């Protein structure tokens, strides 16, 4: 996975080509991989949200929900856009959308991140 945009605090965009390492025998990308992609994007969005407020923090995922909308096939370029939709001093609430190279929504996810200060 590669972060391709983190210019706006609280928003990140990640991309990755889904190769055979992430597939089941039918050639469909495993849901766990797609969930991990969404988690990486949302977690980094939470970090940029805090950084935008002048804080250095760790962000720990405390819960996550992923809904799968469409299968992603091996070889597909996936893009995940994550956005902090609400946040404060202790937590950030984020949402993500994963799309394939044709713009088809593959998954939607939401998560809560708990902040702890970095020294």
């Amino acid at each position: 996975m590669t972060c391709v945009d983190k210019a706006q605090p609280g928003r990140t965009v990640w991309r990755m080509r889904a190769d055979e390492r992430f597939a089941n025998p039918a050639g469909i990308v495993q849901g766990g991989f797609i969930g991990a992609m969404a988690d990486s994007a949302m977690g980094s969005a939470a970090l940029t949200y805090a950084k935008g407020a002048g804080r250095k923090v760790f962000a720990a995922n405390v819960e996550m929900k992923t809904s799968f909308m469409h299968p992603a096939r091996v070889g597909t370029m996936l893009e995940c856009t994550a956005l902090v939709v609400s946040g404060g001093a202790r937590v950030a609430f984020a949402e993500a959308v994963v799309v394939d190279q044709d713009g088809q929504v593959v998954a939607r996810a939401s998560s809560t991140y708990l902040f702890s200060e970095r020294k």
Side-chain angles (χ1 to χ4, degrees):
M1 288 181 280
T2 303
C3 183
V4 296
D5 183 8
K6 59 180 181 178
Q8 177 185 341
R11 180 183 180 275
T12 63
V13 179
W14 290 67
R15 284 193 194 122
M16 183 164 182
R17 182 161 310 278
D19 68 30
E20 65 277 349
R21 295 175 294 163
F22 309 115
N24 64 22
I28 305 298
V29 177
Q30 297 269 350
F33 165 74
I34 294 169
M37 183 180 196
D39 184 28
S40 293
M42 290 185 293
S44 62
L47 292 174
T48 66
Y49 173 82
K51 186 176 181 180
R55 298 176 60 206
K56 284 186 166 183
V57 299
F58 294 108
N61 180 317
V62 295
E63 62 81 32
M64 182 173 155
K65 178 182 189 284
T66 306
S67 298
F68 302 100
M69 316 300 232
H70 192 269
R73 303 240 179 242
V74 168
T76 300
M77 178 63 75
L78 299 175
E79 181 174 281
C80 181
T81 301
L83 181 66
V84 172
V85 295
S86 182
R90 302 254 315 134
V91 298
F93 302 95
E95 295 179 346
V97 177
V98 180
V99 299
D100 66 16
Q101 62 202 21
D102 298 323
Q104 179 73 44
V105 175
V106 171
R108 292 184 177 275
S110 61
S111 189
T112 303
Y113 293 88
L114 181 64
F115 292 139
S116 60
E117 297 300 321
R118 269 177 43 188
K119 306 273 180 191

